[in-house]
PDB file of all heavy atoms in Angstrom:
ATOM      1  N   GLU A 157      -0.630  -6.104  20.292  1.00 88.00           N
ATOM      2  CA  GLU A 157      -1.843  -6.850  19.762  1.00 88.00           C
ATOM      3  C   GLU A 157      -1.522  -7.279  18.374  1.00 88.00           C
ATOM      4  O   GLU A 157      -1.031  -6.758  17.509  1.00 88.00           O
ATOM      5  CB  GLU A 157      -2.957  -5.853  19.645  1.00 88.00           C
ATOM      6  CG  GLU A 157      -3.531  -5.449  21.038  1.00 88.00           C
ATOM      7  CD  GLU A 157      -4.593  -4.323  20.952  1.00 88.00           C
ATOM      8  OE1 GLU A 157      -4.739  -3.769  19.834  1.00 88.00           O
ATOM      9  OE2 GLU A 157      -5.168  -3.984  21.992  1.00 88.00           O
ATOM     10  N   ARG A 177      -4.711 -11.544  22.598  1.00 91.00           N
ATOM     11  CA  ARG A 177      -5.388 -10.912  23.777  1.00 91.00           C
ATOM     12  C   ARG A 177      -5.518 -11.959  25.024  1.00 91.00           C
ATOM     13  O   ARG A 177      -5.531 -11.651  25.999  1.00 91.00           O
ATOM     14  CB  ARG A 177      -6.691 -10.329  23.407  1.00 91.00           C
ATOM     15  CG  ARG A 177      -7.379  -9.405  24.422  1.00 91.00           C
ATOM     16  CD  ARG A 177      -8.798  -9.135  24.051  1.00 91.00           C
ATOM     17  NE  ARG A 177      -9.386  -8.334  25.148  1.00 91.00           N
ATOM     18  CZ  ARG A 177      -9.449  -7.086  25.154  1.00 91.00           C
ATOM     19  NH1 ARG A 177      -9.049  -6.242  24.091  1.00 91.00           N
ATOM     20  NH2 ARG A 177     -10.055  -6.496  26.107  1.00 91.00           N
ATOM     21  N   ARG A 202       4.529 -17.866  20.233  1.00 90.00           N
ATOM     22  CA  ARG A 202       5.867 -17.669  20.715  1.00 90.00           C
ATOM     23  C   ARG A 202       5.786 -17.023  22.067  1.00 90.00           C
ATOM     24  O   ARG A 202       4.726 -16.268  22.412  1.00 90.00           O
ATOM     25  CB  ARG A 202       6.563 -16.730  19.755  1.00 90.00           C
ATOM     26  CG  ARG A 202       6.660 -17.339  18.274  1.00 90.00           C
ATOM     27  CD  ARG A 202       7.350 -18.610  18.224  1.00 90.00           C
ATOM     28  NE  ARG A 202       7.627 -18.942  16.800  1.00 90.00           N
ATOM     29  CZ  ARG A 202       7.927 -20.154  16.373  1.00 90.00           C
ATOM     30  NH1 ARG A 202       8.122 -21.153  17.284  1.00 90.00           N
ATOM     31  NH2 ARG A 202       8.193 -20.377  15.165  1.00 90.00           N
ATOM     32  N   HIS A 254      18.388  -0.285   8.066  1.00 91.00           N
ATOM     33  CA  HIS A 254      19.234   0.501   7.333  1.00 91.00           C
ATOM     34  C   HIS A 254      19.197   2.033   7.788  1.00 91.00           C
ATOM     35  O   HIS A 254      18.039   2.500   8.227  1.00 91.00           O
ATOM     36  CB  HIS A 254      18.800   0.395   5.799  1.00 91.00           C
ATOM     37  CG  HIS A 254      19.198  -0.830   5.170  1.00 91.00           C
ATOM     38  ND1 HIS A 254      20.420  -1.019   4.566  1.00 91.00           N
ATOM     39  CD2 HIS A 254      18.462  -1.983   4.903  1.00 91.00           C
ATOM     40  CE1 HIS A 254      20.478  -2.209   4.068  1.00 91.00           C
ATOM     41  NE2 HIS A 254      19.210  -2.892   4.405  1.00 91.00           N
ATOM     42  N   LYS A 257      17.507   6.377   3.668  1.00 83.00           N
ATOM     43  CA  LYS A 257      16.062   6.562   3.761  1.00 83.00           C
ATOM     44  C   LYS A 257      15.263   5.650   2.828  1.00 83.00           C
ATOM     45  O   LYS A 257      14.050   5.331   3.145  1.00 83.00           O
ATOM     46  CB  LYS A 257      15.683   8.066   3.400  1.00 83.00           C
ATOM     47  CG  LYS A 257      15.865   8.521   1.996  1.00 83.00           C
ATOM     48  CD  LYS A 257      15.424   9.878   1.856  1.00 83.00           C
ATOM     49  CE  LYS A 257      15.459  10.134   0.256  1.00 83.00           C
ATOM     50  NZ  LYS A 257      15.158  11.514   0.012  1.00 83.00           N
ATOM     51  N   ALA A 259      15.866   2.536   2.173  1.00 80.00           N
ATOM     52  CA  ALA A 259      15.914   0.996   2.418  1.00 80.00           C
ATOM     53  C   ALA A 259      15.314   0.977   3.861  1.00 80.00           C
ATOM     54  O   ALA A 259      15.422   1.928   4.713  1.00 80.00           O
ATOM     55  CB  ALA A 259      17.377   0.561   2.400  1.00 80.00           C
TER      56      ALA A 259
ATOM     57  N   GLU B 219     -10.519 -12.641  32.048  1.00 94.00           N
ATOM     58  CA  GLU B 219     -10.883 -11.343  31.426  1.00 94.00           C
ATOM     59  C   GLU B 219     -12.563 -11.146  31.445  1.00 94.00           C
ATOM     60  O   GLU B 219     -13.065 -10.102  31.807  1.00 94.00           O
ATOM     61  CB  GLU B 219     -10.484 -11.025  30.121  1.00 94.00           C
ATOM     62  CG  GLU B 219     -10.794  -9.679  29.565  1.00 94.00           C
ATOM     63  CD  GLU B 219     -10.358  -9.377  28.197  1.00 94.00           C
ATOM     64  OE1 GLU B 219      -9.396 -10.083  27.652  1.00 94.00           O
ATOM     65  OE2 GLU B 219     -10.775  -8.472  27.537  1.00 94.00           O
ATOM     66  N   LYS B 394      16.169   7.741   9.942  1.00 94.00           N
ATOM     67  CA  LYS B 394      15.648   6.384   9.797  1.00 94.00           C
ATOM     68  C   LYS B 394      15.587   5.665  11.244  1.00 94.00           C
ATOM     69  O   LYS B 394      14.679   4.881  11.583  1.00 94.00           O
ATOM     70  CB  LYS B 394      16.524   5.518   8.963  1.00 94.00           C
ATOM     71  CG  LYS B 394      16.224   5.734   7.512  1.00 94.00           C
ATOM     72  CD  LYS B 394      14.985   5.448   7.072  1.00 94.00           C
ATOM     73  CE  LYS B 394      14.561   3.963   7.262  1.00 94.00           C
ATOM     74  NZ  LYS B 394      14.029   3.335   6.027  1.00 94.00           N
ATOM     75  N   ARG B 408      -0.924   2.333  19.623  1.00 93.00           N
ATOM     76  CA  ARG B 408      -1.061   2.443  18.225  1.00 93.00           C
ATOM     77  C   ARG B 408      -1.674   3.871  17.866  1.00 93.00           C
ATOM     78  O   ARG B 408      -1.406   4.279  16.775  1.00 93.00           O
ATOM     79  CB  ARG B 408      -2.155   1.327  17.790  1.00 93.00           C
ATOM     80  CG  ARG B 408      -2.113   1.139  16.407  1.00 93.00           C
ATOM     81  CD  ARG B 408      -3.160   0.207  15.845  1.00 93.00           C
ATOM     82  NE  ARG B 408      -3.198  -0.966  16.593  1.00 93.00           N
ATOM     83  CZ  ARG B 408      -4.181  -1.806  16.664  1.00 93.00           C
ATOM     84  NH1 ARG B 408      -5.238  -1.619  15.862  1.00 93.00           N
ATOM     85  NH2 ARG B 408      -4.171  -2.951  17.491  1.00 93.00           N
ATOM     86  N   GLU B 425      10.308  12.117   2.524  1.00 95.00           N
ATOM     87  CA  GLU B 425       9.622  12.355   1.319  1.00 95.00           C
ATOM     88  C   GLU B 425       8.700  11.204   1.045  1.00 95.00           C
ATOM     89  O   GLU B 425       8.431  10.789  -0.134  1.00 95.00           O
ATOM     90  CB  GLU B 425      10.564  12.566   0.056  1.00 95.00           C
ATOM     91  CG  GLU B 425      11.457  13.707   0.237  1.00 95.00           C
ATOM     92  CD  GLU B 425      12.413  13.922  -0.766  1.00 95.00           C
ATOM     93  OE1 GLU B 425      12.097  14.563  -1.825  1.00 95.00           O
ATOM     94  OE2 GLU B 425      13.676  13.647  -0.613  1.00 95.00           O
ATOM     95  N   ASP B 477      24.739   4.364   3.191  1.00 90.00           N
ATOM     96  CA  ASP B 477      23.971   3.439   3.948  1.00 90.00           C
ATOM     97  C   ASP B 477      24.886   2.808   5.110  1.00 90.00           C
ATOM     98  O   ASP B 477      26.161   2.630   4.832  1.00 90.00           O
ATOM     99  CB  ASP B 477      23.452   2.314   3.136  1.00 90.00           C
ATOM    100  CG  ASP B 477      22.386   1.501   3.770  1.00 90.00           C
ATOM    101  OD1 ASP B 477      21.774   2.009   4.831  1.00 90.00           O
ATOM    102  OD2 ASP B 477      22.094   0.418   3.347  1.00 90.00           O
ATOM    103  N   TYR B 623      10.543 -16.439  15.748  1.00 34.00           N
ATOM    104  CA  TYR B 623       9.971 -16.603  14.353  1.00 34.00           C
ATOM    105  C   TYR B 623       9.627 -17.937  14.203  1.00 34.00           C
ATOM    106  O   TYR B 623      10.335 -18.786  14.599  1.00 34.00           O
ATOM    107  CB  TYR B 623      10.880 -16.189  13.234  1.00 34.00           C
ATOM    108  CG  TYR B 623      11.088 -14.698  13.284  1.00 34.00           C
ATOM    109  CD1 TYR B 623      12.122 -14.123  13.995  1.00 34.00           C
ATOM    110  CD2 TYR B 623      10.234 -13.893  12.480  1.00 34.00           C
ATOM    111  CE1 TYR B 623      12.156 -12.828  14.020  1.00 34.00           C
ATOM    112  CE2 TYR B 623      10.322 -12.429  12.540  1.00 34.00           C
ATOM    113  CZ  TYR B 623      11.463 -11.988  13.313  1.00 34.00           C
ATOM    114  OH  TYR B 623      11.551 -10.649  13.299  1.00 34.00           O
TER     115      TYR B 623
END
Side-chain angles (χ1 to χ4, degrees):
Chain A
E157 284 172 358
R177 189 188 176 96
R202 304 298 191 193
H254 289 276
K257 72 175 185 182
Chain B
E219 181 180 344
K394 282 302 297 230
R408 198 181 316 161
E425 298 175 85
D477 195 24
Y623 290 91

